[in-house]
Amino acid sequence: MKLNGIHHITAITADAQRNIDFYAGVLGLRLVKKSVNQDEPSVYHLFYADEQGSPGADMTFFEFPYAAPGRPGAGMIHRITWRVASTDAFGFWERRLAEAGVQAEATDEYLRFSDPEGLAHEFVVADVPDQPLIADHPEVPREFAIQGFHGVRAYAFDPERSKRFFEETLGFEPNGDGWEVRGATRGGLYAYDEAPAERGLQGAGTVHHVAWYSETEDHEPWRERIAAAGARPTPVIDRFWFRSVYFREPNGILFELATPDPGFAVDEDPEHLGEKLILPPFLEDKREQIEAILKPVRNPRQSARA
Ligand code: ZN
Protein backbone atom coordinates (compact mmCIF):
# COMPACT_ATOMS: atom_id res chain seq x y z
CA MET A 1 0.00 0.00 0.00
CA LYS A 2 1.58 3.25 -1.19
CA LEU A 3 0.36 6.83 -1.40
CA ASN A 4 0.62 8.04 -4.99
CA GLY A 5 2.03 11.53 -4.43
CA ILE A 6 -0.06 14.65 -3.90
CA HIS A 7 -3.76 14.52 -4.81
CA HIS A 8 -4.66 18.18 -4.25
CA ILE A 9 -3.68 21.21 -2.21
CA THR A 10 -6.28 23.54 -0.73
CA ALA A 11 -5.63 27.16 0.20
CA ILE A 12 -7.64 30.25 1.16
CA THR A 13 -8.43 33.30 -0.92
CA ALA A 14 -10.30 36.46 0.04
CA ASP A 15 -11.15 37.29 -3.57
CA ALA A 16 -12.48 34.63 -5.96
CA GLN A 17 -12.25 36.82 -9.07
CA ARG A 18 -8.65 37.84 -8.45
CA ASN A 19 -7.88 34.19 -7.70
CA ILE A 20 -9.39 32.98 -11.00
CA ASP A 21 -7.61 35.74 -12.90
CA PHE A 22 -4.29 34.58 -11.46
CA TYR A 23 -4.60 30.77 -11.53
CA ALA A 24 -6.72 30.30 -14.68
CA GLY A 25 -5.41 33.46 -16.35
CA VAL A 26 -1.76 34.12 -15.52
CA LEU A 27 -0.70 30.57 -14.54
CA GLY A 28 -2.84 29.02 -17.27
CA LEU A 29 -4.41 26.25 -15.19
CA ARG A 30 -7.89 25.04 -16.08
CA LEU A 31 -10.78 25.89 -13.74
CA VAL A 32 -12.21 22.38 -13.52
CA LYS A 33 -14.87 22.87 -10.86
CA LYS A 34 -16.70 25.89 -9.53
CA SER A 35 -18.51 24.86 -6.39
CA VAL A 36 -19.14 25.92 -2.81
CA ASN A 37 -17.54 24.97 0.48
CA GLN A 38 -19.57 21.92 1.53
CA ASP A 39 -19.35 22.95 5.19
CA GLU A 40 -20.15 26.60 4.41
CA PRO A 41 -22.09 26.88 1.14
CA SER A 42 -22.17 30.69 1.09
CA VAL A 43 -18.56 30.75 -0.19
CA TYR A 44 -16.89 29.42 -3.29
CA HIS A 45 -14.68 26.40 -3.56
CA LEU A 46 -12.66 26.72 -6.77
CA PHE A 47 -10.64 23.86 -8.28
CA TYR A 48 -7.86 24.36 -10.82
CA ALA A 49 -5.95 21.57 -12.52
CA ASP A 50 -4.59 20.22 -15.77
CA GLU A 51 -6.92 19.74 -18.74
CA GLN A 52 -8.32 16.44 -17.40
CA GLY A 53 -8.73 17.59 -13.78
CA SER A 54 -6.21 15.01 -12.61
CA PRO A 55 -5.11 14.35 -9.07
CA GLY A 56 -1.52 15.55 -8.86
CA ALA A 57 -2.29 18.93 -10.47
CA ASP A 58 -5.33 20.04 -8.50
CA MET A 59 -5.01 23.34 -6.62
CA THR A 60 -8.17 24.35 -4.82
CA PHE A 61 -9.25 27.48 -2.94
CA PHE A 62 -11.91 28.24 -0.39
CA GLU A 63 -13.06 31.81 -0.78
CA PHE A 64 -13.61 33.65 2.47
CA PRO A 65 -14.47 37.12 1.12
CA TYR A 66 -13.41 39.08 4.20
CA ALA A 67 -10.51 36.89 5.29
CA ALA A 68 -7.58 38.91 6.59
CA PRO A 69 -4.23 38.18 4.99
CA GLY A 70 -2.71 35.14 6.67
CA ARG A 71 0.88 34.19 7.26
CA PRO A 72 2.40 30.72 7.48
CA GLY A 73 3.85 29.60 10.79
CA ALA A 74 4.58 26.36 12.64
CA GLY A 75 2.13 23.64 11.61
CA MET A 76 1.42 25.16 8.21
CA ILE A 77 2.58 24.59 4.65
CA HIS A 78 4.42 27.65 3.40
CA ARG A 79 5.47 26.84 -0.16
CA ILE A 80 4.10 24.81 -3.09
CA THR A 81 6.53 23.42 -5.65
CA TRP A 82 5.41 22.69 -9.21
CA ARG A 83 7.20 21.00 -12.08
CA VAL A 84 8.08 22.57 -15.40
CA ALA A 85 9.85 20.83 -18.30
CA SER A 86 13.08 22.82 -18.43
CA THR A 87 14.86 25.85 -17.07
CA ASP A 88 13.85 27.66 -20.31
CA ALA A 89 10.41 27.83 -18.74
CA PHE A 90 11.79 30.05 -15.94
CA GLY A 91 12.41 32.92 -18.37
CA PHE A 92 8.96 32.58 -19.91
CA TRP A 93 7.27 32.63 -16.51
CA GLU A 94 9.43 35.43 -15.17
CA ARG A 95 8.27 37.63 -18.07
CA ARG A 96 4.65 36.50 -17.91
CA LEU A 97 4.47 37.06 -14.16
CA ALA A 98 6.11 40.50 -14.51
CA GLU A 99 3.43 41.49 -17.06
CA ALA A 100 0.87 40.57 -14.40
CA GLY A 101 2.70 42.70 -11.83
CA VAL A 102 4.20 39.72 -9.99
CA GLN A 103 7.90 39.80 -9.28
CA ALA A 104 9.71 36.46 -9.43
CA GLU A 105 13.11 35.34 -8.22
CA ALA A 106 14.90 33.13 -10.75
CA THR A 107 18.07 31.07 -10.29
CA ASP A 108 19.42 28.06 -12.21
CA GLU A 109 17.54 25.82 -9.78
CA TYR A 110 14.15 27.41 -9.33
CA LEU A 111 11.75 30.25 -10.00
CA ARG A 112 9.97 31.59 -6.93
CA PHE A 113 7.04 33.98 -6.68
CA SER A 114 3.92 34.60 -4.64
CA ASP A 115 0.34 34.86 -5.79
CA PRO A 116 -1.45 38.24 -5.29
CA GLU A 117 -2.32 37.23 -1.73
CA GLY A 118 1.15 36.12 -0.74
CA LEU A 119 0.92 32.34 -1.24
CA ALA A 120 4.43 31.19 -2.15
CA HIS A 121 5.06 29.04 -5.21
CA GLU A 122 8.17 27.57 -6.75
CA PHE A 123 8.80 26.04 -10.18
CA VAL A 124 11.52 23.41 -10.56
CA VAL A 125 12.72 20.97 -13.19
CA ALA A 126 12.26 17.53 -11.65
CA ASP A 127 13.94 14.34 -12.75
CA VAL A 128 10.93 12.04 -12.34
CA PRO A 129 9.18 9.54 -14.63
CA ASP A 130 5.71 10.95 -13.84
CA GLN A 131 3.43 11.94 -16.68
CA PRO A 132 3.26 15.75 -17.07
CA LEU A 133 -0.18 17.08 -16.16
CA ILE A 134 -0.74 20.09 -18.42
CA ALA A 135 -3.62 22.49 -19.05
CA ASP A 136 -4.15 24.04 -22.49
CA HIS A 137 -3.98 27.81 -22.32
CA PRO A 138 -3.80 29.86 -25.52
CA GLU A 139 -0.97 32.05 -24.15
CA VAL A 140 1.11 29.35 -22.49
CA PRO A 141 3.12 27.13 -24.89
CA ARG A 142 3.02 23.48 -23.83
CA GLU A 143 6.79 23.32 -23.42
CA PHE A 144 6.59 25.96 -20.69
CA ALA A 145 3.32 24.90 -19.04
CA ILE A 146 3.03 23.81 -15.42
CA GLN A 147 3.19 19.98 -15.22
CA GLY A 148 1.64 19.30 -11.83
CA PHE A 149 2.82 19.35 -8.23
CA HIS A 150 6.31 18.40 -7.18
CA GLY A 151 5.99 18.93 -3.42
CA VAL A 152 5.19 21.11 -0.46
CA ARG A 153 7.31 22.57 2.32
CA ALA A 154 5.92 23.16 5.79
CA TYR A 155 7.06 24.93 8.92
CA ALA A 156 7.74 22.85 12.02
CA PHE A 157 9.61 23.29 15.30
CA ASP A 158 10.35 19.60 15.70
CA PRO A 159 10.65 17.64 12.42
CA GLU A 160 11.88 14.55 14.30
CA ARG A 161 8.49 14.26 15.91
CA SER A 162 6.85 13.36 12.59
CA LYS A 163 9.59 11.07 11.28
CA ARG A 164 8.34 7.80 12.71
CA PHE A 165 4.72 8.42 11.72
CA PHE A 166 5.74 9.32 8.18
CA GLU A 167 8.12 6.44 7.66
CA GLU A 168 6.38 3.66 9.58
CA THR A 169 2.71 4.55 9.11
CA LEU A 170 2.44 6.55 5.86
CA GLY A 171 5.33 4.93 3.97
CA PHE A 172 7.18 8.21 3.28
CA GLU A 173 10.76 7.55 2.11
CA PRO A 174 13.61 9.83 3.26
CA ASN A 175 14.68 11.98 0.31
CA GLY A 176 17.00 15.00 0.35
CA ASP A 177 16.08 17.20 3.30
CA GLY A 178 12.61 15.63 3.56
CA TRP A 179 10.60 12.70 2.23
CA GLU A 180 9.31 11.34 -1.04
CA VAL A 181 5.79 9.97 -1.20
CA ARG A 182 5.75 7.72 -4.28
CA GLY A 183 3.20 5.20 -5.52
CA ALA A 184 2.47 3.32 -8.73
CA THR A 185 2.30 6.31 -11.07
CA ARG A 186 3.30 9.49 -9.23
CA GLY A 187 5.41 10.90 -6.46
CA GLY A 188 5.58 14.06 -4.41
CA LEU A 189 7.92 15.60 -1.87
CA TYR A 190 7.30 16.78 1.67
CA ALA A 191 9.88 18.72 3.66
CA TYR A 192 10.16 21.04 6.63
CA ASP A 193 11.79 24.37 7.22
CA GLU A 194 12.50 25.85 10.63
CA ALA A 195 9.35 27.65 11.75
CA PRO A 196 9.49 31.41 12.24
CA ALA A 197 9.10 32.55 15.85
CA GLU A 198 5.97 34.50 14.93
CA ARG A 199 2.76 32.49 15.15
CA GLY A 200 1.10 31.49 11.88
CA LEU A 201 -2.28 32.93 10.93
CA GLN A 202 -4.65 30.92 8.79
CA GLY A 203 -5.99 33.54 6.40
CA ALA A 204 -5.97 34.66 2.77
CA GLY A 205 -2.94 33.40 0.90
CA THR A 206 -2.22 30.44 3.18
CA VAL A 207 -2.50 26.71 2.60
CA HIS A 208 -5.30 24.95 4.46
CA HIS A 209 -4.27 21.33 3.82
CA VAL A 210 -2.47 18.94 1.52
CA ALA A 211 -4.23 15.82 0.29
CA TRP A 212 -2.27 12.71 -0.57
CA TYR A 213 -3.51 10.40 -3.29
CA SER A 214 -4.84 7.11 -1.90
CA GLU A 215 -5.87 4.32 -4.26
CA THR A 216 -9.62 3.82 -3.81
CA GLU A 217 -9.33 0.27 -2.47
CA ASP A 218 -6.65 1.36 0.03
CA HIS A 219 -8.62 4.28 1.45
CA GLU A 220 -10.28 2.51 4.40
CA PRO A 221 -7.14 0.42 5.21
CA TRP A 222 -5.16 3.70 5.32
CA ARG A 223 -7.71 5.16 7.72
CA GLU A 224 -7.39 2.14 9.98
CA ARG A 225 -3.62 2.25 9.90
CA ILE A 226 -3.59 5.98 10.76
CA ALA A 227 -6.07 5.42 13.58
CA ALA A 228 -3.92 2.55 14.93
CA ALA A 229 -0.95 4.95 15.00
CA GLY A 230 -3.00 7.32 17.18
CA ALA A 231 -3.49 10.13 14.66
CA ARG A 232 -7.30 10.32 15.05
CA PRO A 233 -8.52 10.40 11.43
CA THR A 234 -12.04 11.59 10.57
CA PRO A 235 -14.52 9.10 9.15
CA VAL A 236 -14.49 8.78 5.35
CA ILE A 237 -16.26 11.87 3.99
CA ASP A 238 -17.92 11.85 0.58
CA ARG A 239 -16.70 14.93 -1.31
CA PHE A 240 -18.58 13.81 -4.47
CA TRP A 241 -15.52 14.07 -6.74
CA PHE A 242 -13.42 12.03 -4.30
CA ARG A 243 -13.60 10.49 -0.83
CA SER A 244 -11.66 12.10 1.99
CA VAL A 245 -10.15 11.31 5.36
CA TYR A 246 -8.52 14.11 7.39
CA PHE A 247 -6.01 14.01 10.22
CA ARG A 248 -3.16 16.11 11.57
CA GLU A 249 0.39 14.91 11.25
CA PRO A 250 2.51 15.13 14.45
CA ASN A 251 3.73 18.67 13.67
CA GLY A 252 0.17 19.89 13.28
CA ILE A 253 -0.14 20.18 9.51
CA LEU A 254 -3.58 19.14 8.24
CA PHE A 255 -3.37 16.12 5.93
CA GLU A 256 -6.09 14.52 3.86
CA LEU A 257 -6.13 11.24 1.98
CA ALA A 258 -8.23 11.52 -1.17
CA THR A 259 -9.22 8.96 -3.82
CA PRO A 260 -8.92 9.36 -7.60
CA ASP A 261 -12.57 8.29 -8.03
CA PRO A 262 -15.05 9.30 -9.19
CA GLY A 263 -13.32 12.48 -10.45
CA PHE A 264 -14.52 15.84 -11.75
CA ALA A 265 -16.34 14.49 -14.81
CA VAL A 266 -18.87 12.65 -12.63
CA ASP A 267 -21.33 15.57 -12.72
CA GLU A 268 -20.20 17.65 -15.70
CA ASP A 269 -19.31 17.14 -19.35
CA PRO A 270 -15.47 16.92 -19.46
CA GLU A 271 -15.53 19.49 -22.28
CA HIS A 272 -17.26 22.02 -20.05
CA LEU A 273 -15.72 21.50 -16.63
CA GLY A 274 -15.89 24.49 -14.33
CA GLU A 275 -18.29 26.56 -16.40
CA LYS A 276 -21.39 26.24 -14.24
CA LEU A 277 -21.83 26.38 -10.48
CA ILE A 278 -21.90 22.75 -9.36
CA LEU A 279 -23.50 21.92 -6.04
CA PRO A 280 -23.23 18.64 -4.18
CA PRO A 281 -26.59 16.79 -4.35
CA PHE A 282 -27.52 17.61 -0.75
CA LEU A 283 -27.32 21.35 -1.53
CA GLU A 284 -29.12 21.26 -4.90
CA ASP A 285 -32.49 22.23 -3.36
CA LYS A 286 -30.86 25.38 -1.93
CA ARG A 287 -29.39 26.46 -5.29
CA GLU A 288 -31.48 29.63 -5.55
CA GLN A 289 -30.43 30.95 -2.13
CA ILE A 290 -26.82 29.96 -2.71
CA GLU A 291 -26.62 31.62 -6.13
CA ALA A 292 -28.18 34.78 -4.69
CA ILE A 293 -25.36 35.07 -2.13
CA LEU A 294 -22.39 34.22 -4.36
CA LYS A 295 -20.84 37.02 -6.37
CA PRO A 296 -20.61 35.95 -10.04
CA VAL A 297 -17.08 35.33 -11.30
CA ARG A 298 -15.70 35.53 -14.82
CA ASN A 299 -13.33 32.86 -16.11
CA PRO A 300 -10.59 34.50 -18.22
CA ARG A 301 -10.13 31.32 -20.27
CA GLN A 302 -13.80 31.10 -21.21
CA SER A 303 -13.78 34.77 -22.21
CA ALA A 304 -10.59 34.27 -24.27
CA ARG A 305 -12.29 31.52 -26.28
CA ALA A 306 -15.65 33.25 -26.70
ZN1 ZN B 1 -9.02 18.60 0.43
Side-chain angles (χ1 to χ4, degrees):
M1 203 161 75
K2 285 277 183 194
L3 294 169
N4 202 28
I6 294 173
H7 183 288
H8 66 268
I9 296 169
T10 294
I12 296 169
T13 177
D15 186 338
Q17 185 63 62
R18 188 163 67 162
N19 190 258
I20 292 185
D21 288 342
F22 189 73
Y23 287 89
V26 178
L27 294 189
L29 300 175
R30 182 176 185 194
L31 179 69
V32 292
K33 196 65 66 181
K34 183 167 69 178
S35 189
V36 294
N37 184 334
Q38 292 177 18
D39 304 315
E40 197 172 337
S42 62
V43 300
Y44 278 113
H45 192 180
L46 303 170
F47 298 73
Y48 307 94
D50 66 330
E51 208 57 25
Q52 285 70 40
S54 313
D58 178 18
M59 180 80 220
T60 100
F61 285 88
F62 294 133
E63 184 201 27
F64 292 108
Y66 300 104
R71 94 181 153 233
M76 292 167 73
I77 287 166
H78 69 88
R79 186 185 300 141
I80 298 169
T81 304
W82 304 79
R83 297 172 186 151
V84 291
S86 73
T87 51
D88 293 343
F90 295 171
F92 169 83
W93 285 108
E94 198 176 7
R95 285 189 300 279
R96 185 167 171 83
L97 288 161
E99 282 164 20
V102 175
Q103 215 190 333
E105 178 199 353
T107 71
D108 295 341
E109 307 275 302
Y110 59 78
L111 178 88
R112 287 183 187 161
F113 60 93
S114 297
D115 85 355
E117 294 177 286
L119 179 58
H121 293 284
E122 177 181 63
F123 290 173
V124 298
V125 180
D127 183 16
V128 290
D130 308 12
Q131 189 197 341
L133 302 172
I134 292 174
D136 300 328
H137 186 286
E139 295 162 11
V140 180
R142 283 184 77 79
E143 69 260 39
F144 299 143
I146 294 172
Q147 299 188 334
F149 296 123
H150 189 49
V152 288
R153 299 190 71 93
Y155 282 137
F157 285 123
D158 187 5
E160 278 300 310
R161 214 169 128 191
S162 297
K163 187 179 161 65
R164 213 173 129 193
F165 178 68
F166 287 166
E167 294 175 14
E168 292 176 15
T169 302
L170 296 183
F172 286 20
E173 296 279 347
N175 181 298
D177 65 347
W179 293 269
E180 185 180 43
V181 185
R182 178 161 290 281
T185 59
R186 301 194 74 76
L189 301 180
Y190 189 76
Y192 289 124
D193 291 299
E194 170 86 20
E198 220 180 12
R199 262 181 79 123
L201 284 175
Q202 186 88 81
T206 62
V207 171
H208 188 264
H209 63 267
V210 58
W212 305 99
Y213 178 139
S214 155
E215 300 298 347
T216 304
E217 65 275 18
D218 296 341
H219 204 223
E220 188 55 44
W222 274 120
R223 207 194 80 83
E224 286 160 20
R225 190 192 279 194
I226 289 157
R232 297 195 296 171
T234 63
V236 174
I237 298 170
D238 186 355
R239 293 302 189 197
F240 303 96
W241 309 296
F242 43 83
R243 314 257 178 276
S244 299
V245 166
Y246 302 84
F247 57 98
R248 285 192 190 273
E249 56 99 319
N251 270 286
I253 291 99
L254 184 60
F255 275 13
E256 173 184 347
L257 299 187
T259 60
D261 306 310
F264 291 121
V266 70
D267 52 9
E268 257 183 315
D269 175 354
E271 288 290 310
H272 296 281
L273 293 178
E275 294 177 12
K276 285 185 311 201
L277 180 71
I278 301 294
L279 298 175
F282 74 94
L283 290 172
E284 200 48 65
D285 62 338
K286 298 200 182 70
R287 176 173 284 272
E288 225 170 284
Q289 294 103 292
I290 290 171
E291 286 188 337
I293 297 168
L294 289 170
K295 210 162 124 185
V297 286
R298 187 186 49 83
N299 181 349
R301 191 167 106 152
Q302 247 170 294
S303 328
R305 283 187 173 173

